[in-house]
Amino acid sequence: MEHARFELGLNSFGEIATDGGRALTDAETVRLIVEEARLAEAAGLDVFSVGEHYREGHNDSAPPVLLAAIATATDRIALGTSVTVLSTNDPVRLYHEYATLDAVSDGRARIVLGRASATESFPLFGYDLADYERLFEEKLDLFLRLEREEEVTWSGTVRTPLHRQRPHPRMRPGGIPTWIGVGGSPGSVLRAARHGLPLMMAIIGGRPGRFAGNVELYLEALERSGRPALPIGQHSLGLVADTDDEAVDLWWRYWQPVVEALAAERGFYAPTRQRYEAELEQGALFVGSPETVARKIVRVARELRLSRFDLKYDIMRLPRQARARTIELLGREVAPRVRELLASDHEPARH
């Protein structure tokens, strides 16, 4: 492995939970996320991240506000985003928000910047999807300059120019840890390498090994530019329960209707039980007992040279007790087992 400590974290998209069969309100779900972040810290996990979505049933539309609330409820765990839709955010406002979060949390803020796989934010904030690439490229340039330079003079086509601006509060020198989130686009992988940023891969279906080519592309591009190897992370979905059977049956009950709706919307495959079981065996669902999930994480970590793995643990209407159990088992049983198995890669052979 490239990095000494393998990090494990959680991602929430603010999806509505249930309690005793009752769907929580939006406000109750927001408070639950703060509670779950506190539980994640107590369980020993490294990172707690939230997404950015504008769909019914999701309550992660104001990540820096939610993360600031979590910062006051926790002491150690790193606080980040599973993706910040940079294309429809203003980089100057983002700088102010995450510099403030970093100050409130005493240096625990992180951010993953992405172009968005869901596009609701474009019409909501008055942007044109035709400008998808230009918006991201220009805004990424500006955000990184705000992080890395003391005073910024900048001009582009997507916002008003800046002249010798020095925003406050100041971030730490060099900015907060900033990752590029990618789906399967080689262009996005090369962009991360070009800017010298760690890579976070969203792998939500299919065999994770198909991303190995992108990993090699990224590492080769870093080497060509004279940069050292940087962290590579993976974001995937899943649930941990006390037994494999419990986890498999429970996740199917809540995952199946979500994927069925997405299949109609985006043309995904129909979520048959047979395909579901194949996804559990070879694909990107991390569902099972602590030992099963740990071994699968280790398998993909070796194959994709990962130094971080984030599990998206919330899915629409999943009972809050199941969410809590996943957090507890991931931190207390899966994480130490993953590190134990990865450490064995470096142990000298015994004769």
Side-chain angles (χ1 to χ4, degrees), residues 110-131:
R110 299 184 178 190
I111 194 167
V112 176
L113 301 174
R115 296 183 299 171
S117 57
T119 58
E120 290 87 356
S121 63
F122 282 79
L124 184 62
F125 296 113
Y127 290 96
D128 189 339
L129 265 174
D131 298 326

Side-chain angles (χ1 to χ4, degrees), residues 105-308:
S105 65
D106 193 19
R108 291 185 282 143
R110 299 184 178 190
I111 194 167
V112 176
L113 301 174
R115 296 183 299 171
S117 57
T119 58
E120 290 87 356
S121 63
F122 282 79
L124 184 62
F125 296 113
Y127 290 96
D128 189 339
L129 265 174
D131 298 326
Y132 189 76
E133 287 288 342
R134 179 165 57 94
L135 283 165
F136 187 76
E137 193 62 60
E138 287 194 20
K139 290 185 176 188
L140 178 61
D141 174 63
L142 176 53
F143 185 78
L144 294 178
R145 289 184 60 183
L146 288 164
E147 284 196 307
R148 294 168 176 176
E149 299 175 12
E150 278 297 298
E151 284 189 343
V152 174
T153 296
W154 180 93
S155 63
T157 66
V158 298
R159 73 173 317 279
T160 53
L162 302 178
H163 179 66
R164 299 188 64 183
Q165 290 292 322
R166 191 174 191 272
H168 294 277
R170 299 297 296 161
M171 281 186 184
R172 66 185 95 159
I176 64 175
T178 301
W179 299 56
I180 291 289
V182 303
S185 165
S188 295
V189 171
L190 291 172
R191 180 186 287 116
R194 185 169 71 250
H195 288 286
L197 297 174
L199 187 71
M200 177 59 72
M201 301 182 293
I203 306 179
I204 59 173
R207 198 173 55 82
R210 74 189 195 281
F211 286 78
N214 277 350
V215 169
E216 293 306 315
L217 181 67
Y218 173 68
L219 294 173
E220 288 169 7
L222 287 173
E223 186 176 4
R224 283 197 306 272
S225 65
R227 291 188 170 96
L230 293 170
I232 299 169
Q234 177 177 333
H235 152 104
S236 292
L237 283 65
L239 176 144
V240 191
D242 292 284
T243 68
D244 287 334
D245 287 346
E246 179 189 358
V248 169
D249 290 343
L250 186 60
W251 188 256
W252 168 252
R253 194 182 316 159
Y254 295 94
W255 178 82
Q256 187 268 342
V258 168
V259 178
E260 194 169 70
L262 284 174
E265 178 185 321
R266 301 187 188 182
F268 289 173
Y269 63 81
T272 65
R273 182 74 186 206
Q274 182 180 14
R275 289 197 170 192
Y276 169 65
E277 291 175 359
E279 193 73 23
L280 295 177
E281 182 65 28
Q282 298 294 333
L285 288 181
F286 290 74
V287 175
S289 66
E291 182 69 14
T292 295
V293 171
R295 287 189 174 277
K296 189 167 185 179
I297 291 172
V298 167
R299 190 164 68 245
V300 298
R302 288 169 174 155
E303 189 171 17
L304 299 181
R305 303 173 70 174
L306 304 179
S307 56
R308 175 178 168 188

